[in-house]
Amino acid sequence: MIKKVFFVAALSCGGAAFAQVHKMEHRDSIATERTYNLNPVVVTGSGHHQRLKSTATPVRVLSAQEIHEQGISTFDGALTRMMPQVSMAPNSMGTFLRLNGLGNKYILILINGQKLTGDISNNIDLNRINMARVKRIEVLDGAASSLYGSDAIAGVINIITDQPTSSVCSVTNATNISGKGQLTEAVTLDIFTHGFGSYTSFTHDRADSYQNNGLEYVKGSDTETQPTIAPLFTGYRSNLVGQKFTYAPNDKLAFNAGLDYSYKLTDRPNTRPDITGGTDYEMQYKGFRWNAGGIYKFTSKNSLQATFTADRFRYGKEYDVETKNNKVGDFVLSKKQHAYEADLKAILSLMKHSTTIFGSNWRRDELEATSGNINKGVYTLAFYGQHEHKFLQNVTATVGARYTHHETFNDHFTPKATLMYSPGAFNFRATYSAGFRAPGLDELYYHYYAVNRGKPQINFGNRDLKPEKSNYFALNAEYHTDKLVASVTGYINRINDMVVKQNIDVDATSLALLQKEFPEMTAEEAAILERYSLYVNSDKGDVKGIQVNVSANLFPGFNLSANYAYTYARSLSVSDGSSVEGSRWSPLERSIRNTATIAANYHHAWRRYALNVNLNGRLQSKTYYTGSYEDAPGFGVWNLNTSHTFDCTQWALIEPSIGIDNLFDKTDHRIDSSKRKFALFSPGRMLTVGLKVRLKK
């Protein structure tokens, strides 16, 4: 039904555009122009819009144009192909995301500056991000709690969405198809007239489960194998519907309101009596997010902004195999999260060559977890300020701080200071920023018992936890011209009181207490219970790194970019909170020491036809795993994509594309086991095809 509505809208909009063709003057084809913008506008580093080379805090930017030219249709593909400091590992519980060696819970993901809520075991459901509306993705490395509050310890990923204002009506349909059932289809309808804008989108995304090795080790053996249907990659089906309205009655006042609804269901092999690896249920995820806001501009450099966001997310088990307790189609809720956030911010130019920000933020998080026996809520109230001043012609200094009152953890103060010296085409930057993370409601209140593949699991929260704190230092040197941008950044990020799960061995006394605590545990399950887990502040984190980034417009139509990240990420466990003497540093889980991304893009146009060829690669060293797991080997994956733009009429743009993912067929064929995890999840070489059609008036 939804697709029919979009199809009718497309026809009506296209028909209206066709009727107006004879009234339009001849114009040059838009396919003939292609520029590589090395100095885009950014907002994440400073909290206000400014050119990239002018921001005192370095920010990495990935534009929608770059994403499209590489034939990328997913959020994780965009980041991992272009940004070496980011890595991801997909699984049925979401996506395990890492930034500069630190995992999901230390990364703040924003959509237009507002936090994205909803995680599954700290894994973010990235399918909630509407790639059809992405204008650019900004990545800020390091602690940023002075502007953004809790969770911004590893960095901030801010997705800036697009809202075209240049055409009265346009409809776009983009389809991408690849192997293993991978399909993404996105339809957008944009209307803008007399200050009013309506932006509608629908995205369907799907992929099949697949294996690279259909064997597993027999339980208790490291040599004997047997067939399994357990997937390396978990398939899924997802839908995302978005609607946004804007209204600007004049050049000083503007309003906006929008909503997004997401639905996702995994697609795993069902349980079978003749082979292992199947499951009785699929994971079902639902998200609903709405927001409203406005901006009043006193002058071009003075404005007041207000936003309110409500975000709801839930997930659970939808059974597709009948069990002793559940029938096919039954849904069992696992977790429900609600978040409400209000932000008021003033951006002012109080003095010449300066920008001052004052703001306040209120947020309430609520968690209902049936599996963890939680139904709690907590609020946060914060006030922040930042002053940026340019003096001595080429020196810019920024100082800022945030005062946060947390309902559970009382008061916290997080400062920030940057200094930038800009002689000619060079920028030299120094940054200090503090970060903090308030423990999540699950880490505080979990009371969890479950049986996973026959193994009983027990997790306890800890109400005595302390917030995690970090100190981030960075030095950056950059050379910037219209044709070349080159930069090198060195940083240190130190985290104290890291919250981790501590495994505690079970003895006769503790087993008796656990059986009393969880009467649903059977005698057979109690007999094989070896340990339980408790959240504690035990670890210290230490991340040191170097990033090198180069982007060059070597000649008209050709751009070459190369990015390298060296990340030395370690943790030190001090389980009793006392002296660290005698303790040993170990690599952070899933950290990667060396990673590089390379992209070469060529564009040329002949009147109303344009060719774009993009070659990109990601090369990384081994991925470190802790405990009894072996490290995953490094790899290099290269992708080729070509797109062909036909601007054949004044009302339609047609752009087919064809490419090859994983040109050299790199895969990880090791046998899955309880001691083995993976870093490369590609099924091998695949043909990718796409078609983008835009009707415009």
Side-chain angles (χ1 to χ4, degrees), residues 136-151:
R136 64 182 184 273
I137 300 171
E138 301 180 4
V139 177
L140 173 63
D141 294 312
S145 291
S146 65
L147 273 179
Y148 299 106
S150 180
D151 301 349

Side-chain angles (χ1 to χ4, degrees), residues 89 177 200 254 291 332 347 381 414 427 556 625 651 672 691:
I177 302 173
T200 310
N291 63 277
V332 178
I347 302 176
L381 182 62
T414 47
N427 286 325
Y625 286 96
W651 56 272
D672 195 5
L691 178 63

Side-chain angles (χ1 to χ4, degrees), residues 155-264:
V156 176
I157 300 175
N158 194 6
I159 297 101
I160 309 298
T161 61
D162 193 19
Q163 49 188 52
T165 59
S166 59
S167 61
V168 176
C169 182
S170 68
V171 178
T172 302
N173 185 93
T175 305
N176 291 86
I177 302 173
S178 188
K180 304 299 181 183
Q182 297 181 28
L183 166 68
T184 301
E185 184 161 3
V187 183
T188 62
L189 168 62
D190 300 331
I191 301 172
F192 184 82
T193 179
H194 299 98
F196 172 79
S198 173
Y199 311 98
T200 310
S201 63
F202 170 75
T203 300
H204 174 71
D205 189 17
R206 64 186 298 168
D208 294 341
S209 295
Y210 57 77
Q211 299 174 304
N212 283 346
N213 192 317
L215 297 175
E216 68 176 2
Y217 289 108
V218 175
K219 187 176 181 179
S221 173
D222 292 330
T223 56
E224 186 180 356
T225 61
Q226 63 184 15
T228 181
I229 55 175
L232 171 68
F233 175 87
T234 300
Y236 62 89
R237 307 287 184 269
S238 75
N239 294 314
L240 180 62
V241 180
Q243 175 64 55
K244 184 174 183 178
F245 297 104
T246 62
Y247 179 60
N250 52 56
D251 58 357
K252 291 183 176 295
L253 187 62
F255 301 97
N256 67 83
L259 60 86
D260 290 284
Y261 170 77
S262 62
Y263 175 86
K264 178 181 175 182

Side-chain angles (χ1 to χ4, degrees), residues 562-591:
N563 309 288
Y564 168 74
Y566 170 80
T567 308
Y568 187 50
R570 305 181 300 165
S571 65
L572 180 67
S573 295
V574 189
S575 58
D576 60 359
S578 60
S579 173
V580 300
E581 293 183 9
S583 301
R584 295 183 60 185
W585 290 92
S586 60
L588 274 173
E589 175 79 0
R590 295 182 186 268
S591 62

Side-chain angles (χ1 to χ4, degrees), residues 443-559:
E443 296 168 329
L444 291 170
Y445 300 110
Y446 241 29
H447 186 267
Y448 176 87
Y449 176 79
V451 179
N452 185 14
R453 295 188 177 183
K455 295 182 178 180
Q457 296 178 341
I458 294 176
N459 293 327
F460 287 107
N462 185 350
R463 301 184 187 186
D464 295 325
L465 290 174
K466 298 179 292 184
E468 302 171 82
K469 299 177 182 179
S470 71
N471 290 285
Y472 177 80
F473 306 87
L475 295 174
N476 167 267
E478 178 185 76
Y479 177 75
H480 203 298
T481 68
D482 292 339
K483 294 186 177 181
L484 173 67
V485 175
S487 69
V488 58
T489 304
Y491 67 88
I492 298 174
N493 199 1
R494 290 188 169 139
I495 308 102
N496 291 316
D497 296 321
M498 296 179 76
V499 176
V500 299
K501 281 184 181 180
Q502 184 181 68
N503 293 321
I504 302 173
D505 292 333
V506 173
D507 56 23
T509 302
S510 60
L511 181 59
L513 293 173
L514 291 171
Q515 286 179 294
K516 185 178 180 180
E517 191 77 16
F518 300 99
E520 66 269 30
M521 180 167 50
T522 66
E524 291 79 10
E525 292 165 353
I528 60 175
L529 181 65
E530 298 178 350
R531 60 184 63 89
Y532 66 94
S533 298
L534 173 69
Y535 285 106
V536 296
N537 292 105
S538 80
D539 283 16
K540 296 178 181 292
D542 184 85
V543 183
K544 303 181 181 72
I546 297 174
Q547 294 182 16
V548 180
N549 308 104
V550 179
S551 183
N553 296 332
L554 297 182
F555 53 84
F558 183 77
N559 175 267

